[in-house]
């Protein structure tokens, strides 16, 4: 079977996405993660487009990587100058990176409307740029921009561009679906034509039709030997092809042995690492690596998975470093409760827990996204729960002034280990003010609570269908930098519901430490 090269474009194309920004140091950390994952080529950017890129290439030039090679990115020469007089190509030639990826035009529409060069001049630009970099001792990857649009408009010319690049010495010619406008069948047809013309071609897809991964797979089936993509599919518009899913599919479904089992086991960690660094909440529904990718809710599913995981799972989650999650629900029953309690080292009466969960769900609770609160419930049932403090009272004042400014102030009165604490804090809203006041008191005894971050706050009004009157459900996600847990509060009053979720989130942070687990 042909060896497929994995080419990561997170640091260049991925950074085109809205709100994507990393410092040079952070980019270096990403490269090390990608290296440990076993990615073959990492595109770092254009070596001198700005001071940040210069700093990055300087850092990279002093590093050693075990698996990956660094590719510098640039363009074919400008029109009207020779390749050896082109400033951009000179930068690439002078860069330490052993691989240069250059992009050039394929689509006649762009030649006419955008760059205003003749088709023949464009072919010369491709050939001369590649030949120049080859003469400088570089390995060259050629990105054929808008290849598929160009192929649909004028297949002969698009193929001539690709063949010209291969003949000029590009080791791989990459077919780019730059506008993300192609369907898998179109990718297959065009890639099959290319396969008849040149030896090595790659694929670079965007996700505008949500076909980024499917298109990449279609190209591999047609003979592509390099796949470009970004971690978690980040990138401009709707993103690039998601390299995480591509790796999962190529290796676990198509039998390509690209990574060692140990490397593949890092897939989830690497995907989450990139999200965390970009300050993005990892998508729980992301295939292979999402928190819910192997989550089971229905009672029969849970029982089936316990008996034989293949009944309701497409693969063993541990292969990609993910884990099975059994969601708690009145549908689930004994098996889930038993498994969760076992994982925490707790002994509980499963029937009683289920009765309790049912009663709470009737009152508006939902524990699927509130694993932290469910853990506390299990600890209470197991008799190993210790409250963090005893409440005397809390209060919250929200004041809007004539100038439109809104001020929030909260006061809490609590007892911790017999001592009374009274704290007042301001915040940008009631939850923030209560959180500040409460943590101001608690961090005197439990300093590590200061590191917690409330990362997500969701409020939902539940209607009266359950006969209890309208109530508010608050879900809070809290992170300590290593893991994220959810907590829940339900009350007719939104601030009281928030308080409850807040207390659960802090207590969940404390419980394992207290038990020494
Ligand atoms: Zn792209």
């Amino acid at each position: 079977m042909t060896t497929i090269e994995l080419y990561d474009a997170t640091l260049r194309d991925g950074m085109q996405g809205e709100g994507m920004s990393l410092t040079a140091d952070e980019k270096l950390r990403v490269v090390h993660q990608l290296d440990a994952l076993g990615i073959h080529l990492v595109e770092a950017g254009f070596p001198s487009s700005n001071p940040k890129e210069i700093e990055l290439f300087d850092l990279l030039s002093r590093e050693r990587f075990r698996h990956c090679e660094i590719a510098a990115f640039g363009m074919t020469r400008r029109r009207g100058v020779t390749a050896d007089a082109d400033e951009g190509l000179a930068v690439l030639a002078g860069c330490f990176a052993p691989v240069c990826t250059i992009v050039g035009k394929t689509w006649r529409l762009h030649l006419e409307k955008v760059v205003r060069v003749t088709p023949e001049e464009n072919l010369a630009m491709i050939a001369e740029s590649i030949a120049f970099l080859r003469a400088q001792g570089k390995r060259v990857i050629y990105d054929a921009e808008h290849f598929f649009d160009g192929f649909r408009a004028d297949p002969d010319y698009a193929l001539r561009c690709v063949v010209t690049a291969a003949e000029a010495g590009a080791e791989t010619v990459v077919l780019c679906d730059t506008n993300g406008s192609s369907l898998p069948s179109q990718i297959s047809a065009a890639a099959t034509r290319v396969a008849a013309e040149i030896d090595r071609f790659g694929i670079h897809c965007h996700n505008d039709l949500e076909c980024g991964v499917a298109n990449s797979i279609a190209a591999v089936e047609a003979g592509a030997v390099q796949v470009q993509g970004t971690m978690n599919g980040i990138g401009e518009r709707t993103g690039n092809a998601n390299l995480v899913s591509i790796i999962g599919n190529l290796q676990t479904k198509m039998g390509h042995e690209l990574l060692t089992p140990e490397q593949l086991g890092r897939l989830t960690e690497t995907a989450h690492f990139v999200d965390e660094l970009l300050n993005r909440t990892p998508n729980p529904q992301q295939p292979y690596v999402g928190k819910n990718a192997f989550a089971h809710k229905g009672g029969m599913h849970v029982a089936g998975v316990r008996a034989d995981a293949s009944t309701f799972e497409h693969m063993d989650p541990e292969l990609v470093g993910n884990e099975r999650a059994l969601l708690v629900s009145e549908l689930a029953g004994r098996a889930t409760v038993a498994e969760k309690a076992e994982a925490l080292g707790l002994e509980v009466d499963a029937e009683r827990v289920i009765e309790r969960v049912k009663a709470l769900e009737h009152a508006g609770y939902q524990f699927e996204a509130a694993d932290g609160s469910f853990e506390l419930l299990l600890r209470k049932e197991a008799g190993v729960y210790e409250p963090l403090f005893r409440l005397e009272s809390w209060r919250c004042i929200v004041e809007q002034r004539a100038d439109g400014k809104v001020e929030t102030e909260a006061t809490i009165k609590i007892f911790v280990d017999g001592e009374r604490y009274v704290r007042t804090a301001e915040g940008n809203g009631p939850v923030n003010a209560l959180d500040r006041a409460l943590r101001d008191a608690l961090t005197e005894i439990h300093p590590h609570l200061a590191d917690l971050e409330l990362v997500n706050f969701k409020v939902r009004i539940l209607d009266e269908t359950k006969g209890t009157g309208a109530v508010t459900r608050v879900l809070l996600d809290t992170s300590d930098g290593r893991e994220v847990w959810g907590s829940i509060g339900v009350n007719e009053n939104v601030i009281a519901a928030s308080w409850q979720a807040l207390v659960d989130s802090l207590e969940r942070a404390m419980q394992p430490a207290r038990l020494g687990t």
Side-chain angles (χ1 to χ4, degrees):
M1 189 174 267
T2 0
T3 314
I4 310 283
E5 231 170 24
L6 296 170
Y7 185 110
D8 181 277
T10 304
L11 299 181
R12 203 269 309 169
D13 226 6
M15 289 298 115
Q16 309 294 317
E18 193 185 323
M20 300 298 166
S21 173
L22 294 174
T23 65
D25 277 319
E26 287 170 331
K27 286 184 177 179
L28 181 62
R29 289 172 65 195
V30 171
V31 180
H32 277 294
Q33 284 278 338
L34 295 172
D35 185 42
L37 179 62
I39 298 294
H40 307 109
L41 285 152
V42 174
E43 188 175 275
F46 180 58
S48 81
S49 61
N50 63 48
K52 220 159 100 176
E53 302 289 293
I54 294 170
E55 187 192 352
L56 173 64
F57 274 85
D58 187 43
L59 286 172
L60 288 171
S61 69
R62 288 185 264 122
E63 296 288 320
R64 287 288 162 271
F65 300 103
R66 282 204 302 178
H67 303 284
C68 74
E69 288 190 280
I70 303 297
F73 183 85
M75 284 181 286
T76 51
R77 70 161 172 79
R78 285 167 298 134
R79 61 176 175 164
V81 294
T82 56
D84 55 11
D86 186 87
E87 288 162 20
L89 288 176
V91 169
L92 289 180
C95 168
F96 84 93
V99 181
C100 294
T101 299
I102 56 170
V103 61
K105 301 287 177 194
T106 323
W107 190 5
R108 291 185 77 136
L109 179 72
H110 267 252
L111 298 181
E112 290 153 22
K113 300 269 166 74
V114 185
V115 285
R116 294 172 195 283
V117 298
T118 64
E120 291 308 317
E121 165 74 349
N122 182 53
L123 293 173
M125 284 160 66
I126 295 170
E128 290 166 22
S129 303
I130 293 169
F132 169 76
L133 290 172
R134 294 284 287 129
Q136 302 292 315
K138 300 291 185 184
R139 290 167 53 195
V140 179
I141 293 170
Y142 179 71
D143 277 2
E145 192 184 42
H146 297 293
F147 172 79
F148 295 95
D149 295 293
F151 184 84
R152 288 195 286 275
D154 184 345
D156 290 337
Y157 184 71
L159 287 171
R160 273 182 76 199
C161 291
V162 164
V163 170
T164 299
E167 284 174 352
E171 68 175 37
T172 309
V173 180
V174 181
L175 314 178
C176 301
D177 190 23
T178 310
N179 288 357
S181 57
S182 305
L183 292 165
S185 54
Q186 295 171 310
I187 299 277
S188 284
T192 303
R193 287 285 300 279
V194 171
E197 302 284 339
I198 63 173
D199 284 341
R200 285 179 59 85
F201 69 96
I203 184 75
H204 173 114
C205 292
H206 282 259
N207 204 33
D208 296 73
L209 308 187
E210 215 171 13
C211 290
V213 172
N215 285 348
S216 305
I217 299 299
V220 169
E221 286 170 341
V225 294
Q226 181 187 99
V227 186
Q228 301 193 351
T230 63
M231 284 290 117
N232 307 322
I234 62 167
E236 64 186 321
R237 306 190 306 276
T238 57
N240 284 54
N242 183 353
L243 199 57
V244 174
S245 301
I246 290 170
I247 290 171
N249 289 343
L250 289 176
Q251 182 126 356
T252 73
K253 306 301 171 195
M254 295 169 72
H256 290 280
E257 284 180 23
L258 309 174
L259 309 179
T260 65
E262 190 265 331
Q263 289 170 332
L264 186 64
R266 305 180 69 105
L267 192 63
T268 299
E269 179 200 318
T270 309
H272 292 181
F273 172 83
V274 172
D275 270 338
E276 294 296 344
L277 215 55
L278 286 164
N279 209 14
R280 285 165 28 119
T281 308
N283 172 9
Q285 288 194 311
Q286 189 173 334
Y288 290 102
V289 300
K291 193 173 163 225
N292 295 345
F294 301 94
H296 304 278
K297 180 170 173 176
M300 200 174 71
H301 281 218
V302 172
V305 162
R306 286 209 117 199
D308 178 354
S310 65
T311 51
F312 287 101
E313 277 174 3
H314 70 83
M315 62 176 276
D316 177 359
E318 283 177 18
L319 289 177
V320 291
N322 204 345
E323 58 187 14
R324 180 172 307 136
L326 301 177
L327 301 178
V328 183
S329 151
E330 55 184 312
L331 290 169
R334 284 190 62 86
T336 310
V337 172
E339 184 134 318
K340 286 238 177 194
E342 201 183 311
L344 292 166
L346 299 173
E347 271 184 49
V348 296
D349 178 344
E351 293 303 333
R352 249 185 52 189
V353 173
I354 291 162
E355 285 311 307
R356 183 93 189 100
V357 170
K358 280 185 181 170
L360 287 167
E361 289 194 340
H362 187 72
Y365 286 79
Q366 269 291 320
F367 289 100
E368 272 90 347
D371 50 345
S373 291
F374 184 68
E375 185 183 323
L376 290 172
L377 187 148
L378 287 177
R379 290 185 188 281
K380 282 172 191 166
E381 287 293 324
V384 295
Y385 162 79
E386 257 186 274
L388 197 50
F389 60 85
R390 187 162 66 77
L391 178 70
E392 182 183 311
S393 68
W394 60 260
R395 127 181 115 210
C396 199
I397 303 162
V398 183
E399 177 180 277
Q400 179 160 24
R401 311 235 172 92
D403 63 1
K405 246 187 147 183
V406 180
E407 306 269 344
T408 311
E409 186 185 296
T411 300
I412 59 120
K413 297 174 187 175
I414 59 172
F415 291 89
V416 187
D417 296 337
E419 196 162 330
R420 186 166 183 261
Y421 290 79
V422 179
R423 291 287 186 280
T424 296
E426 292 173 321
N428 56 26
V431 183
N432 182 239
L434 285 166
D435 178 36
R436 283 185 177 176
L438 183 57
R439 276 204 273 172
D440 186 31
L442 292 174
T443 47
E444 283 190 18
I445 304 160
H446 308 295
H448 84 268
L449 289 178
D451 301 332
L452 300 185
E453 206 187 328
L454 310 184
V455 290
N456 232 325
F457 177 74
K458 277 164 283 181
V459 178
R460 196 151 139 204
I461 310 295
L462 306 175
D463 59 23
E464 301 182 41
T465 51
K466 293 193 173 167
T468 49
V471 290
T472 305
R473 176 199 292 162
V474 167
L475 283 168
L476 198 59
D477 288 338
T478 307
S479 165
D480 64 359
R482 282 172 297 130
E483 52 170 346
V484 178
W485 59 89
S487 57
I488 186 168
V490 176
N491 198 288
E492 286 168 21
N493 182 299
V494 61
I495 304 177
S498 308
W499 168 263
Q500 199 187 349
L502 178 66
V503 172
D504 267 14
S505 88
L506 299 184
E507 292 203 323
R508 159 59 181 74
M510 289 305 303
Q511 294 295 331
R514 287 186 172 201
L515 284 171
T517 51

